[in-house]
Amino acid sequence: MTSTIVTGAAGFIGANFVLTWPYASAGPVVNLDKLTYAGNLQSLESLAAQPAHRFVRGDIGDAELIRTLLREEQPRAVVNFAAESHVDRSILGPEEFVQTNIVGTFRLLQEVLTYWRDTLKSDPSFRFLHVSTDEVYGTLGPKDPAFSETTAYAPNSPYSASKAASDHLVRAYHHTYGLPVLTTNCSNNYGPFQFPEKLIPLVIHNALAGKPLPVYGDGQQVRDWLFVEDHCSAIRAVLEKGRVGETYNVGGNSEKKNLDVVKTICAILDELKPRSDGKPYADQITFVQDRPGHDRRYAIDATKIEREIGWKPAETFETGIQKTVKWYLDHHAWVHGVTSGDYRKWVEKQYG
Ligand code: NAD
Ligand code: DAU
């Protein structure tokens, strides 16, 4: 069976994607990842005995490597997760975001286009699926309707601007050259293997370490939360059934204020692993300086993917967050592995 190339699958969502991939029915996966600070081979340990998963260390911006891989593998699809993904990092250092998210995606597209033209133009099944974010749509007021696929792009951070640029390139490669592309724009993910720089794992990690739980500004910003395995199932569904050239919004129908998310995690930890002094974890909540340009609210209208493809999330926020907190409690070694070295330097720079 022909393979699928998945980029960035040593990171949070990509790892979950290749861990839950149906190898028997969907064929082998080649996982191409640069292993930046966010890439972690420990997340892929359970695939060691899976011969249909092959890891290749490399950059999506390395045209020669991509060309060789495409020639060797003759994949039936390329799924592009590889990106710099953290908004706060993009504010402190946007350059890497431009390099990977824009230049990297461009180089990948260019090589995929050549491969598709030379090899596969007559095969109607090839797909390039680009994994993107709801942040490209900008920010919403409290009463605004949720983002739909026709909402105008209005990115506000260097991260979201770089993702928006990559989405535009993907769109252009379809409209100009006919490359069979699909794009998904998803809301905030949470679940196993998320690097503890993002809100939910950071709060779990800091709570257990007795550290402050930093809430930006007034904590009233709203995000839509989706359990990561639901995002993975949505991507698989779009890959199989999505209409070429279309974009699909993916969301959890689960808008929450940041402060409420933090309080929910504290309450679960109070139950599962009470503090030794008997006090609530919520005592550790600390309001800190807001993120510059902080988007106030994101919300996703996911009716298109449900109507056309029949996809709906399986988890609610309540079930997903319980599973997530338990996972972090049970996987101390994974957390310890990623919370050393570079991670420490980053935390120092960000939080002082
Ligand atoms: P992540 O930061 O956890 O992982 C990114 C992975 O990409 C890492 O393994 C990293 O090593 C790899 N990578 C970075 N630059 C690379 C390069 N030049 N070449 C090859 N590999 C490279 O990110 P994530 O949270 O798993 O997000 C994955 C994708 O999903 C991103 O494109 C992101 O924009 C998108 N997304 C994320 C969320 C979310 O809530 N995390 C929501 C919607 C969309
Ligand atoms: O919406 C999808 C996006 O979700 C993805 O495209 C990004 O890759 C992903 O990182 C995420 O972006 P956010 O900026 O929304 O996620 P983050 O976990 O960094 O922050 C979530 C919210 O919590 C946001 O409003 C900022 C706030 N926050 C975050 C951190 C890290 C805090 O209040 N304190 C914190 O320490």
Side-chain angles (χ1 to χ4, degrees), residues 13 84-88 132-136 159 163 186-189 194 196-203 206 213-217 219 221-225 258-259 262 288 290-291 294-296 298 346 350-351:
I13 306 172
E84 289 293 334
S85 69
H86 189 34
V87 174
D88 293 321
S132 192
T133 169
D134 60 357
E135 299 204 9
V136 295
Y159 163 68
K163 290 296 290 186
C186 187
S187 58
N188 284 61
N189 284 213
Q194 187 169 29
E197 65 185 353
K198 307 279 167 67
L199 180 69
I200 287 180
L202 181 115
V203 165
N206 280 17
L213 311 181
V215 172
Y216 296 165
Q221 305 84 1
V222 174
R223 298 288 181 270
D224 172 66
W225 292 96
N258 289 343
L259 186 57
V262 175
V288 300
D290 208 352
R291 174 185 279 174
H294 199 171
D295 285 339
R296 196 69 180 166
Y298 303 144
W346 151 250
Q350 172 69 8
Y351 299 103

Side-chain angles (χ1 to χ4, degrees), residues 269-337:
L269 284 173
D270 287 339
E271 288 249 317
L272 298 181
K273 199 170 172 49
R275 264 171 52 158
S276 53
D277 62 5
K279 291 188 174 159
Y281 283 98
D283 282 3
Q284 290 165 233
I285 292 174
T286 309
F287 290 90
V288 300
Q289 197 180 0
D290 208 352
R291 174 185 279 174
H294 199 171
D295 285 339
R296 196 69 180 166
R297 174 176 166 239
Y298 303 144
I300 280 274
D301 174 351
T303 49
K304 178 176 172 184
I305 187 172
E306 185 176 351
R307 191 181 60 244
E308 285 192 12
I309 295 181
W311 176 87
K312 269 201 299 200
E315 299 286 346
T316 62
F317 184 72
E318 289 64 34
T319 58
I321 195 70
Q322 279 279 347
K323 282 188 181 178
T324 303
V325 175
K326 279 197 188 118
W327 187 89
Y328 279 90
L329 287 172
D330 293 344
H331 291 80
H332 192 70
W334 184 89
V335 177
H336 182 71

Side-chain angles (χ1 to χ4, degrees), residues 11-13 33-34 36 39 59-60 81 85 100 132 159 163 189:
F12 164 48
I13 306 172
D33 196 295
K34 187 179 171 183
T36 67
D59 192 324
I60 56 165
F81 286 96
S85 69
T100 283
S132 192
Y159 163 68
K163 290 296 290 186
N189 284 213

Side-chain angles (χ1 to χ4, degrees), residues 3 107 136 161 190 195 200 205 239 250 253 258 281 297 352:
S3 61
R107 297 230 174 97
V136 295
Y190 65 100
F195 195 77
I200 287 180
H205 178 65
L239 200 52
V250 184
N253 218 358
N258 289 343
Y281 283 98
R297 174 176 166 239

